Amino acid sequence: MQDTFYLNDGRLLRTHTSAMQVKTVWQKKPPCRILIPGRVFRHEATDATHEASFFQLEGFAIEKNLTLAHLKWVLESYLKHIFGPKIQVKIVPHYYPFVEPGMDVLIKLKNQKWLEVLGAGMIHPKVLKNMKLDSEKWRGFAFGLGIDRLVMLKHGIDDIRLFYSNDLRFLKQFK
Amino acid sequence: MKYPISWLKEFVDLPSAQKTAEILDSAGFALEGLENEILDLEITPNRPDLLSIFGLSRELSFFLENPLKLNLLELPLSPPLNPSLKLRVTGNPSFPKIKMPQIKFEENFLSPRFAAVVLEKVEIKPSIPEITRKLEAVGKRAINNVVDATNYVMWETGQPLHAFDAAKIKGFSLLVRKSKEGEKIITLDGVERILGNETIVITDNEKIIDLAGLMGGENSGVDATTTTVVLLAAIYDSVLIRRTSKQQNLSTDASYRFERGLDYQMVLPALEKAREIIQPKNYSRVLDFQNQKPKNPKIEFALDFIPDFLGLRMRKEKILNFLERTGSKIKEENKKIVLTPPSWRLSDLRSKEDFAEEVARFYGYENILSKKLTRPRGKQNPVFLLENYLKQFLDKEGLFETITSPFVSATDLLILEFPREQAISIANPLSSEQQYLRPTCNVFHPKEEKELLILLETYLSEKIELILNRLMKRLKIENFNLKMTNVPPALLAHYKIRRAFKYLKIPLLNIFQESKLKNILLNEPKIKGRYRPIAKFPPVLRDISIVVPGKIKPDVVSKTIKKVDNLIWMVELFDQYQSEVFGEQKKSLAFHLVFQNPKETLTDERVEEIFDKVKKVLEEKYQALIR
């Protein structure tokens, strides 16, 4: 679904931090709640809202009795924490191959439009299997968000490239 | 995909366009546009059954609990097309004997189902207005009644169709096989294509006449001279279609649907509908090859799984009602249910979690009450903690944190004196300037050390060295003597920097292993201020020096100056001192003023105007003396 950078040694650069889920669980066995911030890479033309390398935050939890209701709570609380208690949040079904059910989380902007900020869902049983876990015993949920995008929304920044241009006139405003 | 609401309404009654869009949105189909009563929706790859007017109408009928006005899967098939009526070839006198093509398949999996019918005495003419109108509404060009019928039926049923001019099929025989490396075909778009060995093709006795599932051949298409048509509705192997589509860089409405999967039971109804539209004077019986029937495993699970998984309470009747609305057959056995998904959801409904999602969708994600996740509190990764601590510390000392591009060029590597063979290179870089991954500063060093880089003008480096070494002591990191190094002159020269710089790399992992630090408290950084866009037009700089009473605070004066006009973008104190020369209890303050207009270039007159106003305000408010 995304354009990938391939390396000459046969590896590739991850297009999303979800790529880290399986490896991490091999090391940190459940029950676990894990956050993974990191750089991701997409072979895309850069413009005000697209950069070839930016940052995502991956989060997931694997425990015995997790439910969709718990995931909902985590996402809503997080967005309220970042944007304040008055922020309006909407959760709609969406499709991501590694979660089932999958969802998109949107917030209402000042211009009354809804904007996706997060993708999430219950970890797909096949992924749990790849993690060498029994999907009848363990339940997990996962979410991913673009850090750049959230910062842009919170501070009213209109060009993602500003984060990487290192212009002191921009950086000074956040001292 | 575009769905004219009037077309949907032929299959199901709908509320207003707005309300319909809202229902679809909460069902998981984002609205990309709504104009002229045509819904433009994003359909995710897991729901190929919705890539048709009928498919979406069916989904809406489930959500609204409105009955379908017309179920295409139950479309009565006219006798020749109805395989359950055993018609012999010599059959019914109302349908005089028509020569049928010979159809063979190299391998069954290439086309799991392949149905063909021969239409005789076809009149090639423009389509009726209703069909033309509908096609144009969804962005398709009307060509002639036969081609239009194939497009119309594909849009309505989801099943792509193809029409051959029977006269152009040499030997009146068709073979469905894989292409051989190097074979060629000129497709309907006039492009000559060279094929690999994994493309599904249809050939007659001497040549390839169809790039199956993608595009027909120029040599076999329907044109003004056509009188007999071989109409076919087939399902092709989705993997091979996808490979060919990528290889040929060709994506069509048909191939899009084949890649995602089709409804096995829609093949004959689609043929029937197209035949109705084309109205040949005579037509044959159908040849229906069911080469590979789809597997339809039943899914069994405890009824309790669904409310458990979703984290809510739900009555059994409600769960069953929602599950029925997927079109699945349900059998109850004690506390378990056995579900048989319908023919149009075979690729999507395969596990109990898939069904849980359906229940959640019908229930409404917005209606699920969130449940608080209880503690325990997580532990922070010590390397992150240390990194954050150092960054905040340096921030307070006046340094700025920057994030740079991970890509570098061959020239950059040369200047860094980093051997090119050791650098990681990208096979498909965005540009030749971005061919390598930056080998320093914890992004992609072969040894993968995490480090923090500090870069300073030389005259500041002593102060920072002192501060850092004091910090290391406070953090109980012993035996750590940080010393800054000169930035190589060649590097500075390359970027035309005339001042001297020093740098220091703090290896975070090393420090942490050396330190006896157990707990580092982290204060969440409070970032104030709303970003203002940096203007594209050059700024104007002015300096102002004033003498004011000693007790006046410089930042109060800064704020006052800034308030004078919006075009004053920044005010910065660069000097202050006290001297008897100014008088008792008086001091001098000097400010840089930066004027900037984000919309257009500033004129000198405008700047002067504002500057004069600033002087006046300072004189009035602080009895300032402008130097």
Side-chain angles (χ1 to χ4, degrees), chain B residues 284-460:
Chain B
S284 72
R285 63 181 177 87
V286 70
L287 287 174
D288 182 15
F289 297 89
Q290 298 192 19
N291 295 321
Q292 202 173 65
K293 293 205 179 124
K295 297 198 186 92
N296 196 356
K298 302 199 201 316
I299 292 115
E300 189 182 315
F301 53 91
L303 201 58
D304 278 343
F305 167 77
I306 297 207
D308 264 354
F309 186 72
L310 298 176
L312 40 67
R313 277 196 227 274
M314 203 184 278
R315 280 182 355 258
K316 174 173 134 179
E317 294 76 40
K318 209 161 187 189
I319 303 178
L320 292 176
N321 171 276
F322 288 146
L323 290 173
E324 257 163 28
R325 280 150 75 173
T326 62
S328 308
K329 287 208 184 64
I330 309 181
K331 209 167 75 169
E332 275 181 76
E333 284 171 14
N334 300 323
K335 290 250 160 102
K336 281 191 169 202
I337 38 174
V338 181
L339 290 155
T340 310
S343 60
W344 61 89
R345 299 292 298 271
L346 291 182
S347 60
D348 177 54
L349 293 177
R350 290 199 286 203
S351 67
K352 56 190 195 297
E353 288 83 5
D354 294 328
F355 282 103
E357 178 176 55
E358 293 302 288
V359 171
R361 284 196 323 128
F362 284 115
Y363 184 76
Y365 278 37
E366 66 277 6
N367 295 325
I368 300 177
L369 290 173
S370 37
K371 260 196 182 150
K372 186 168 175 174
L373 198 62
T374 52
R375 305 208 155 194
R377 207 197 181 123
K379 275 186 273 194
Q380 294 225 42
N381 181 317
V383 177
F384 278 141
L385 272 178
L386 181 63
E387 184 186 341
N388 275 331
Y389 188 86
L390 283 174
K391 283 182 183 178
Q392 284 188 78
F393 176 81
L394 292 166
D395 176 75
K396 288 205 179 77
E397 291 298 328
L399 277 80
F400 292 89
E401 181 184 0
T402 65
I403 304 175
T404 55
S405 169
F407 306 120
V408 295
S409 65
T411 315
D412 291 324
L413 289 176
L414 211 65
I415 299 173
L416 282 172
E417 294 179 15
F418 191 91
R420 227 204 290 187
E421 331 76 63
Q422 282 183 35
I424 300 175
S425 66
I426 299 174
N428 56 336
L430 280 176
S431 74
S432 57
E433 294 299 298
Q434 298 170 301
Q435 217 197 325
Y436 297 91
L437 292 179
R438 189 181 76 211
T440 64
C441 286
N442 70 246
V443 181
F444 303 108
H445 194 282
K447 283 194 253 161
E448 290 176 53
E449 290 158 353
K450 205 173 203 313
E451 27 175 46
L452 209 66
L453 172 75
I454 303 175
L455 182 65
L456 289 174
E457 287 199 64
T458 300
Y459 74 94
L460 290 167

Side-chain angles (χ1 to χ4, degrees), chain A residues 6 8 72 90 100 175, chain B residues 25 352 357 368 399 425 427:
Chain A
Y6 293 92
N8 279 318
K72 233 192 147 189
K90 180 166 79 163
E100 186 74 22
K175 269 284 186 204
Chain B
D25 186 65
K352 56 190 195 297
E357 178 176 55
I368 300 177
L399 277 80
S425 66

Side-chain angles (χ1 to χ4, degrees), chain A residues 14 50 58 61 85 90 96 108 137 143 150 160:
Chain A
R14 67 184 177 204
H50 294 93
E58 189 74 19
K90 180 166 79 163
Y96 295 100
K108 206 173 202 184
K137 215 170 139 199
F143 56 85
L150 278 191
I160 192 176

Side-chain angles (χ1 to χ4, degrees), chain B residues 199-359:
Chain B
T199 298
I200 307 175
V201 294
I202 302 183
T203 62
D204 63 14
N205 266 358
E206 55 173 49
K207 60 197 185 296
I208 299 180
I209 56 173
D210 184 28
L211 205 58
L214 278 138
M215 199 178 271
E218 221 179 35
N219 51 17
S220 61
V222 164
D223 59 32
T225 67
T226 306
T227 55
T228 303
V229 170
V230 173
L231 187 65
L232 79 100
I235 299 180
Y236 298 110
D237 179 78
S238 42
V239 173
L240 293 188
I241 297 286
R242 192 173 337 136
R243 279 198 201 142
T244 305
S245 170
K246 275 225 146 86
Q247 191 223 19
Q248 291 295 328
N249 203 20
L250 174 64
S251 179
T252 58
D253 289 322
S255 68
Y256 190 84
R257 285 158 177 77
F258 286 120
E259 279 180 30
R260 284 156 175 76
L262 296 180
D263 182 356
Y264 210 76
Q265 305 304 327
M266 191 56 94
V267 169
L268 293 186
L271 263 191
E272 176 69 26
K273 258 247 133 159
R275 199 263 322 146
E276 261 174 35
I277 294 172
I278 296 171
Q279 292 186 328
K281 293 245 166 34
N282 198 11
Y283 55 99
S284 72
R285 63 181 177 87
V286 70
L287 287 174
D288 182 15
F289 297 89
Q290 298 192 19
N291 295 321
Q292 202 173 65
K293 293 205 179 124
K295 297 198 186 92
N296 196 356
K298 302 199 201 316
I299 292 115
E300 189 182 315
F301 53 91
L303 201 58
D304 278 343
F305 167 77
I306 297 207
D308 264 354
F309 186 72
L310 298 176
L312 40 67
R313 277 196 227 274
M314 203 184 278
R315 280 182 355 258
K316 174 173 134 179
E317 294 76 40
K318 209 161 187 189
I319 303 178
L320 292 176
N321 171 276
F322 288 146
L323 290 173
E324 257 163 28
R325 280 150 75 173
T326 62
S328 308
K329 287 208 184 64
I330 309 181
K331 209 167 75 169
E332 275 181 76
E333 284 171 14
N334 300 323
K335 290 250 160 102
K336 281 191 169 202
I337 38 174
V338 181
L339 290 155
T340 310
S343 60
W344 61 89
R345 299 292 298 271
L346 291 182
S347 60
D348 177 54
L349 293 177
R350 290 199 286 203
S351 67
K352 56 190 195 297
E353 288 83 5
D354 294 328
F355 282 103
E357 178 176 55
E358 293 302 288
V359 171

Side-chain angles (χ1 to χ4, degrees), chain B residues 98-117:
Chain B
I98 290 185
K99 183 163 183 231
M100 301 294 291
Q102 206 191 46
I103 304 181
K104 287 209 171 82
F105 303 86
E106 189 181 61
E107 281 170 278
N108 280 342
F109 83 95
L110 296 175
S111 175
R113 191 168 191 179
F114 190 101
V117 65

Side-chain angles (χ1 to χ4, degrees), chain B residues 37 153 190 205 210 545 550 558:
Chain B
E37 298 273 304
V153 170
N205 266 358
D210 184 28
S545 282
S558 279

